Amino acid sequence: MDLEPEVPEDDDDDESKSLRRKFILSLILGFPVLLAAMPHMIPGGLFYQSWLPHSAWAWVELIFATPVVFWCGGFLHLRGLKSLKNLSPNMFTLIMLGVGAAYFFSLVAVIAPGIFPESFRENGSIGLYFESATVITVLVILGQWLEARARRKTGQAIQSLMDLAANTAHRLNENGEEEDLEVDQLASGDRLRVRPGEKIPVDGKIVEGRSRIDESMITGEPEAVAKESGDEVIGATVNQSGSFVMEAGAVGYDTVLSRIVEMVAEAQRSRAPVQNLADRVALFFVPTVVAISLLTFVLWFFIGPDPALAHAIVNAIAVLIIACPCALGLATPMSIMVGVGAGAKEGILIRNAESLERAEKITHLVMDKTGTLTEGKPQVVDIRSNDSEKVADWLGEVAAVESQSEHPIGRGIVHSAKEKEPSLPEAKDFESTTGGGVRATVEGSTIRVGSRKFLEGEGVSLDDSLSEAAETLQNEAKTVVWAARDETLLGLIAVADPIKKTTKKAIESLHDLGIEPVMCTGDQEKTAKAVARELGIDQVHAGVSPEDKQRIVEDLRKQGHRVAMAGDGINDAPALAAADVGIAMGTGTDAAIESAGITLVKGDLMGIQSSLRLSRKVMRNIRQNLFFAFIYNAAGIPIAAGVLYPFTGFLLNPMLAGAAMSFSSVSVIANALRLRKAKFSE
């Protein structure tokens, strides 16, 4: 088969257009062949048959059949020869043998009829099969054209993503003057001006100005996001209200949009493990069909009715043609291509077909809490201070330390402190303990911020009354962060990460699909269990490290479960890679996305159940296609061999065999295209 392009090609150079031209031309040239070969089946045929002698009509068939078989259908024979050269017999092997046998037998009968014995003749002439070779070629070209059109449609998902990108940008030179240029001419570090209503050319960050950005193409959220100096912006999103200057970061193939396009294209070209079964079947199926065809020829030649040779040739060719496994070769890739394209339109990016197939059999879904079940944007909801301390005296110091941390809780504390005091003191000698806390020197004192266990390990004594308050807050699904200056306790900060609006419905949908959700979080146990109770999650693992998450996934797999892991952070990457299927939130880190087989662009938990439903629908579609492929062969081969002839006198004409073979391919294509309109979400 032709190689699939990595991205959709220009319409002017489209394979489907070339095949359409070949089909139309073969149809036009094939019509005179039918007129010459079958006058008794065409109204008025006996009238025009008298215009030329029989030998002349035979030359008409030869003249018009030759360009159909070798010009229009030449690519079919080249593929058949390559299959023999590579010792990988396939549908084109059977087409080449069947059409070739019909054509060359007829060619010899026209050019040198005298070499045939009298027993080969019927009414004084040798039977010709140009019409079979011609019609079969036309039907196969039709099937190839329909297949190319279907593949073209699956590329529309990629093309629609590519169309989102901006074409031009306004670059500022060293003098601050603007120059317009193509986006592919930009380099990292270029300063670009973006005006209201324009698409952001590439990924980068704002250095001057502020605006609201429509990021719905990435996040799926209709509400525009406020952005100001220092904030990251994504290429192809739309600037709405203000003008700003940005510094280009990722350009070309490194942008978020380009990575999405590459991921979708790669998945559409990938192979599902079930395809290996179809390939193994085809490898043995084709030689078996050739053997059955030869056996059919021998049996009909020696024990068939007169003219024995004619019956032997017709039935042997019919066996070769109807057995062509066109549909078998299409069954899996068509469903994968259409399913991946349909998923991309819903914000579900499949990295490869193997992940799609594995997702069908998932029994357990391991999920991180922060950023997956919750918004991932913690907010400070309560602050309790030690009796001898005032919040105003120490909140800025704590925020100064957390400003150097990448943890979402730290960002929430910084945001809350800046609302009270915009400027923060400087923090030096910052240190972080994974899963514990952070410390730094602020104005000559060591400020420690973290879990109860972390502070106690640092020699800080905790107040009993604050400990009781912390327990109450944790029972309310709030995360408690303790703070100390040197060895003196300052107080605690309660942070709540709101549960996403769609999370509860998504968990219910997972239960309906028979999938057991498992929460794995580095957060405190009481907070984790409170969230789990609200969502209806029975299995909870709290206070776990990245290594623990990976171990939990591996333990579940050892117990015989099929495990999917959903996460969005760097700490989730090992578990994502260890799971049968990794599902990354598109709003998460690159490390998480690179470790996952499925990425949800919108970062919405509803996308998980949608991706699992997508997998089930695609795999069911593949099995339906395999049924369509095999049922035609299983029923058609015995009929083509003539098994019904002793009882009914029925023989399958090679042209009808070609039509049945093509119809099986059309059935597979039509069934796969149903996925384009399938609904994957509730």
Side-chain angles (χ1 to χ4, degrees), residues 443-481:
E443 296 178 346
S445 300
T446 300
I447 304 299
R448 296 177 173 86
V449 187
S451 66
R452 178 189 186 112
K453 184 178 179 181
F454 173 72
L455 261 66
E456 289 179 336
E458 295 282 306
V460 178
S461 299
L462 302 188
D463 183 87
D464 291 338
S465 62
L466 284 182
S467 297
E468 293 177 3
E471 188 172 349
T472 302
L473 291 168
Q474 288 169 355
N475 289 334
E476 296 172 355
K478 297 179 177 66
T479 299
V480 173
V481 177

Side-chain angles (χ1 to χ4, degrees), residues 233 430 520 649 658:
V233 290
F430 176 83
C520 264

Side-chain angles (χ1 to χ4, degrees), residues 17 85-86 103 108 262 356 423 480 518 597 603 631 664 678 682:
K17 288 192 174 184
K85 180 182 178 181
N86 299 328
Y103 177 86
V108 174
E262 182 181 1
L356 191 64
S423 60
V480 173
V518 180
I631 195 65
S664 67
E682 293 187 333

Side-chain angles (χ1 to χ4, degrees), residues 79-81 83-84 87-98 277-295 316 319-329 630 633 637:
R79 291 175 179 178
L81 290 172
S83 71
L84 294 178
L87 300 178
S88 57
N90 54 38
M91 58 170 278
F92 298 107
T93 313
L94 300 182
I95 292 171
M96 179 188 68
L97 293 175
L277 172 62
D279 290 345
R280 288 196 298 269
V281 170
L283 188 63
F284 293 100
F285 180 74
V286 175
T288 301
V289 168
V290 173
I292 293 173
S293 177
L294 291 174
L295 179 62
V319 168
L320 288 173
I321 298 303
I322 201 168
C324 285
C326 308
L328 183 62
F630 281 114
N633 296 139
I637 291 176

Side-chain angles (χ1 to χ4, degrees), residues 161-179:
L161 289 172
M162 295 174 65
D163 291 342
L164 294 173
N167 297 318
T168 60
H170 313 299
R171 185 171 65 182
L172 301 178
N173 59 26
E174 295 179 356
N175 299 324
E177 299 174 347
E178 288 187 20
E179 56 178 341

